Structures are given as C-alpha cells and as structure tokens.
Amino acid sequence: MKISGKRRLIACILALVMLTVPKIGTDATSDTRKKLEAAKQEKEATEDQKNAQEENIDSMEEAQEGLQGELNSLNSQLAQVSSRLDEIEGNIISKNEEIAAAQAELEQAKATEERQYLCLKKRIQYSYEKSSNSFLEAILSAKSFGEILNMTEYFSQMASYDQEMLAAYQQAREAVEEKEARLEEEKAQLDEMKASAEAEHERFSGLISQTQGSISAYSDQIASAEAQVEALEAQIAAQNENIEALQKQLEEEIRKSRLAAQSSWRDISEVTFTEDDRYLLANLIYCEAGGEPYAGQVAVGAVVINRVLSSVFPNTVSSVIYQSGQFEPVSTGRLALALAENRATESCYRAADEAMSGVTNVGTCVFFRTPIPGLEGINIGGHVFY
C-alpha cells in the first residue's frame, strides 16, 4: 500500500523524535521473561565462575601447603647439612692444629737427629784424628793384651751406641713424617667433605629460595583469586537484585494479564482506527514478527488490539504502542527507523487489517515473548502469547 508524502513526512518526524527522546523505563514488558531468564543464566554463569575460582583457590592452597611441607623438609635438611658443615670445619681446625704440632715435632726430631749425627761425627774425629788421644795411641799405650781388649770393647760399644741412637732418631723422624703425611691425607679428606657439604648447603639454599618464591607467588595468586571471588560475589548480589526486580515485573505482567482478562472490554465496533494507526501497527508487527509466519504476525497485532480494547491499558493504538517500557522496538529505536522507511511488508499490513477488524488467534492475551520453560500460553511460531 502506498503512503502519501505528508504521512511519510510525519513518520520521519516521529522517527527523529523517537531517536532523540531518552528511553524511559525497562525494555518491552512482553520481553520481561526473556530478560529474567537471561538474568538467571547470567547469574548462573557468574556463580560457575565463582565456583571455578574457589576450586582454583583450593587447588592453589593445596599446592602451597605441599610446598610449605617441602620447605619445612628442606629447612630441616639444610640445618643438618649446616650442622655437619660446622662439625667438618671444627675437625679441620683440629686437624690443622694436629698437623702444626706434628710439623713442630718433626722439626724437633730432625734437629735431634742432626745433633746426634754431629756428635757421632765429632767423637769419631776426636777418637781417630787427635794424635794426643787417639784410638791408636790408646792401643799402643796399653800395658797388657787384656787392656787392649778392654779398650777395643769400649770403643766398639761407644760406636754401637752412637749408631743405635742415630738409628732411633731416624726412626722417630720417619714416624713423625708418616704421622704428618697421614694427618695431611686426613685433612685433604676433610677438605673434600667440606667442599661437598658446602655444595650441598648451596643446593639446599637454592631450593629453599626457589620454594619460598613459589609459595610467595601462590600467595599473590590466591589473594588475586580471592579478590575476584569477592567481586563475583558482589556481582551475584547485584544480579540477584536484578532478578528480584525482573521477577516482580514479571509477576506484575501476569497480574495485568489476568486483570485484563477479567476486566471490562470494549467491543471492536466501538473503536475507530485511522490510517496512521494501520501504518503504525503494521510497522510494529514488522519489528516484532517480520520473520514469523503470518499467523504469528496476526497474533502480535491481536495483542496490541486486545490492549486497546481492555480497560487495563490505554485505549488507542499509538498510546498502547508508545506506553512507557512496553515494546522493545520502541525503546531501541527500531520502530522509528521502520516507520521512517515504511519497512512493513504486505503481510504485515494484512495482519494489521485483520487485527483491527477484530480477528484474534490468541484470545484475550495481552503479552508475548519467545518461549521459555515454565511459561504457559499459546505458542505460535517463535512466540508464546499469554
């Protein structure tokens, strides 16, 4: 159906007005159940996030507890290594003292051996080289063979004694040298043990530092996760408030729907519809049910006319459609755009004509929305009417 230039101009002006006027109230009342269901799903998703985060916190706390146990064990092992290292260092100090004593003893033994050697050398020189008191002179001055034998035995015993003492001092020096070598070997072993203990001490210190870092990182992550849980809890509280408000709004819808069914109704013959009403209704049908079967388009038009006829709602097509917060295309501006371009199809106009003539395939229903579980009504196409 063609529309006059004047009507198109009015539609354009109306479109501009609808786009510039602030939105009042909530979205379309017929969409309250949809929004309620969406709000519940959103809340459920938030609760899932919260539960997942809490499970994550439990997991991190368990891991942190395990790391703390590992840290305690590492600290205990480090204490043992430190104690062993202290003991080794103490043994090294003692061993160094023993080595120093052995070295002093060795020097003394060497000096004693050297003195004994010098004494022996001097006695030999004195006995054999001094003509005034030499061994040969003593033999020659002997008065008897027995005296010669005695002198010979004396010099022999003296020489044996000197040799025995020299040998004894040499053995003492060798014993001290062996002792010093043994002590040096033992000290070398202690040094190796100390190096090993120090390496082990360093390794445990590194592991402890690493574990402490991991525990600290878990603490930061847990604190962040707990903050997220608090934020999610606040979000859930806000969502609960929104759900409660939508629930009240839905209850009000249902109350109005029942009230409308029980209230007084005008007969269709008592209402006069204009061409502008037809234009407006057809474009609303396009916005709400343009992709629905024809029966669904008629049903949407019937809901609008039912409201016009009911004493619970305004008594004209335009006042019903533009009632604050009732039809979503009005609040979003889609209807204004459709009116400006006359997007309503031929079937939308036929549906509007049938609805304005009193045809209804939804009885006295005054609301509609996409179906959701638990909502009883008349299902036509993608909508349930109630």
Side-chain angles (χ1 to χ4, degrees):
M1 178 180 180
K2 294 181 179 181
I3 60 174
S4 65
K6 181 178 179 181
R7 185 177 299 160
R8 183 179 293 276
L9 178 60
I10 293 172
C12 290
I13 293 172
L14 181 60
L16 291 173
V17 171
M18 291 308 301
L19 288 172
T20 56
V21 173
K23 297 178 183 179
I24 301 174
T26 60
D27 290 339
T29 306
S30 60
D31 207 35
T32 301
R33 282 186 181 272
K34 180 179 179 181
K35 289 193 292 184
L36 178 59
E37 186 65 22
K40 288 181 178 179
Q41 291 176 355
E42 184 180 355
K43 176 196 169 187
E44 184 177 349
T46 305
E47 287 177 336
D48 289 342
Q49 291 179 17
K50 174 177 170 287
N51 292 335
Q53 198 64 267
E54 288 176 339
E55 289 178 2
N56 186 34
I57 289 174
D58 291 340
S59 176
M60 288 190 292
E61 287 178 340
E62 183 178 351
Q64 187 183 45
E65 184 177 349
L67 285 173
Q68 187 61 54
E70 183 179 341
L71 179 62
N72 293 338
S73 176
L74 288 172
N75 281 324
S76 176
Q77 294 178 68
L78 180 63
Q80 292 177 4
V81 172
S82 298
S83 177
R84 187 164 68 251
L85 186 58
D86 290 341
E87 181 181 355
I88 291 172
E89 288 176 344
N91 290 337
I92 289 175
I93 292 173
S94 298
K95 196 63 62 178
N96 283 330
E97 292 175 351
E98 289 181 33
I99 289 172
Q103 288 174 342
E105 185 179 350
L106 179 61
E107 291 299 320
Q108 181 67 33
K110 287 179 179 179
T112 301
E113 180 187 5
E114 182 67 18
R115 282 197 309 273
Q116 179 63 28
Y117 174 76
L118 290 174
C119 290
L120 175 62
K121 183 178 179 181
K122 285 185 178 295
R123 274 194 291 270
I124 292 174
Q125 288 176 345
Y126 182 82
S127 300
Y128 292 98
E129 294 179 3
K130 298 295 181 180
S131 58
S132 60
N133 192 25
S134 65
F135 174 70
L136 181 60
E137 185 179 351
I139 295 296
L140 292 176
S141 62
K143 296 179 180 181
S144 64
F145 183 73
E147 189 176 352
I148 292 173
L149 291 176
N150 290 334
M151 288 183 182
T152 302
E153 179 67 18
Y154 168 76
F155 281 109
S156 175
Q157 289 179 355
M158 186 175 63
S160 296
Y161 173 78
D162 286 338
Q163 290 176 356
E164 288 175 1
M165 291 301 296
L166 180 60
Y169 289 138
Q170 287 176 344
Q171 289 177 358
R173 175 182 55 78
E174 291 172 357
V176 173
E177 286 177 344
E178 290 177 1
K179 179 180 179 181
E180 182 187 24
R182 177 176 55 79
L183 291 174
E184 290 287 355
E185 183 179 354
E186 290 176 356
K187 181 179 179 297
Q189 293 176 353
L190 288 173
D191 288 338
E192 290 181 3
M193 292 172 62
K194 179 182 178 182
S196 176
E198 286 176 340
E200 193 172 6
H201 188 280
E202 184 177 355
R203 182 175 69 86
F204 278 116
S205 296
L207 289 173
I208 287 172
S209 178
Q210 180 181 350
T211 305
Q212 287 174 334
S214 298
I215 290 174
S216 178
Y218 270 118
S219 295
D220 293 341
Q221 293 174 25
I222 289 171
S224 175
E226 287 175 342
Q228 292 179 28
V229 168
E230 288 181 5
L232 290 170
E233 287 175 344
Q235 185 176 344
I236 290 171
Q239 289 170 342
N240 280 331
E241 291 179 2
N242 183 45
I243 289 172
E244 185 178 351
L246 289 171
Q247 190 69 44
K248 289 180 180 179
Q249 185 177 343
L250 179 59
E251 291 171 359
E252 179 62 17
E253 271 186 28
I254 295 172
R255 186 190 69 80
K256 273 192 174 184
S257 178
R258 292 172 180 171
L259 182 62
Q262 298 170 2
S263 64
S264 60
W265 287 66
R266 290 186 295 170
D267 188 77
I268 193 70
S269 61
E270 300 177 29
V271 183
T272 301
F273 298 104
T274 66
E275 191 64 24
D276 288 336
D277 291 334
R278 181 174 182 266
Y279 182 71
L280 177 59
L281 181 58
N283 277 279
L284 177 69
I285 292 172
Y286 168 80
C287 291
E288 292 282 17
E292 293 291 317
Y294 179 69
Q297 295 176 357
V298 172
V300 169
V303 165
V304 174
I305 300 305
N306 282 344
R307 292 192 181 192
V308 172
L309 299 178
S310 171
S311 61
V312 176
F313 295 92
N315 58 7
T316 65
V317 172
S318 61
S319 58
V320 164
I321 291 175
Y322 289 113
Q323 186 179 10
S324 175
Q326 294 302 300
F327 292 94
E328 186 176 17
V330 176
S331 62
T332 61
R334 288 178 56 230
L335 177 60
L337 292 175
L339 289 169
E341 300 175 5
N342 190 25
R343 294 182 179 180
T345 62
E346 186 273 334
S347 65
C348 292
Y349 274 106
R350 283 195 294 114
D353 289 338
E354 282 206 59
M356 289 189 295
S357 69
V359 173
T360 175
N361 55 355
V362 291
T364 59
C365 292
V366 289
F367 294 99
F368 67 91
R369 62 148 292 124
T370 53
I372 58 173
L375 178 60
E376 297 180 358
I378 301 171
N379 290 281
I380 300 176
H383 289 123
V384 56
F385 296 82
Y386 56 101

